[in-house]
Amino acid sequence: QVQLVESGGGLVPPGGSLRLSCAASGNIFSINTMGWYRQASGKQRELVATVGRDGSTNYADSVKDRFTISRDNAKNTVYLQMNSLKPEDTAVYYCNVQGRSYTMRRQEVWGQGTQVTVSS
């Protein structure tokens, strides 16, 4: 049983900043890729950013130069620093973790989601 606990969402005016955190705990041996996805109301879920265990990153074009994903491997935690937020960033943000169990089986776990609302 792996748990992902997300935090950091909220209401922010355009141009503001937020930092999302997602901590993984429980029955997991190792974590490979950690990432953030988002789903706006009435739209499909989309990838925001991912970070590998070596620190390599990948971003959606819509958030490049504004968002920064990072991870703390010692804490099994992934972060998403969001700057220069725009109304179109409004969505529920979901943490995603891919790794292996203690029996070396692949695991994929989703967080519960945290609401980010960018509005004046």
Side-chain angles (χ1 to χ4, degrees):
Q1 301 87 6
V2 179
Q3 304 111 296
L4 300 182
V5 179
E6 300 181 29
S7 63
L11 175 64
V12 64
S17 298
L18 286 172
R19 190 178 80 151
L20 306 183
S21 299
C22 174
S25 63
N27 187 27
I28 190 166
F29 175 71
S30 64
I31 295 173
N32 183 19
T33 302
M34 308 182 81
W36 292 93
Y37 295 73
R38 67 186 182 187
Q39 186 168 22
S41 180
K43 296 186 177 181
Q44 63 184 352
R45 184 176 60 193
E46 64 177 355
L47 183 145
V48 177
T50 62
V51 57
R53 58 191 171 200
D54 62 352
S56 60
T57 58
N58 183 47
Y59 296 93
D61 288 341
S62 59
V63 307
K64 285 182 178 178
D65 302 319
R66 298 189 298 118
F67 292 9
T68 302
I69 188 169
S70 61
R71 63 191 285 173
D72 185 337
N73 291 334
K75 296 181 178 180
N76 287 336
T77 300
V78 61
Y79 306 94
L80 185 68
Q81 178 66 48
M82 304 184 293
N83 298 325
S84 302
L85 283 161
K86 304 175 181 179
E88 52 262 44
D89 295 318
T90 296
V92 177
Y93 284 70
Y94 295 93
C95 178
N96 174 267
V97 171
Q98 299 177 36
R100 291 187 181 273
S101 71
Y102 286 98
T103 59
M104 295 298 112
R105 288 173 169 78
R106 291 189 180 274
Q107 291 185 311
E108 184 175 29
V109 185
W110 291 90
Q112 79 281 3
T114 184
Q115 177 71 49
V116 172
T117 302
V118 185
S119 176
S120 59

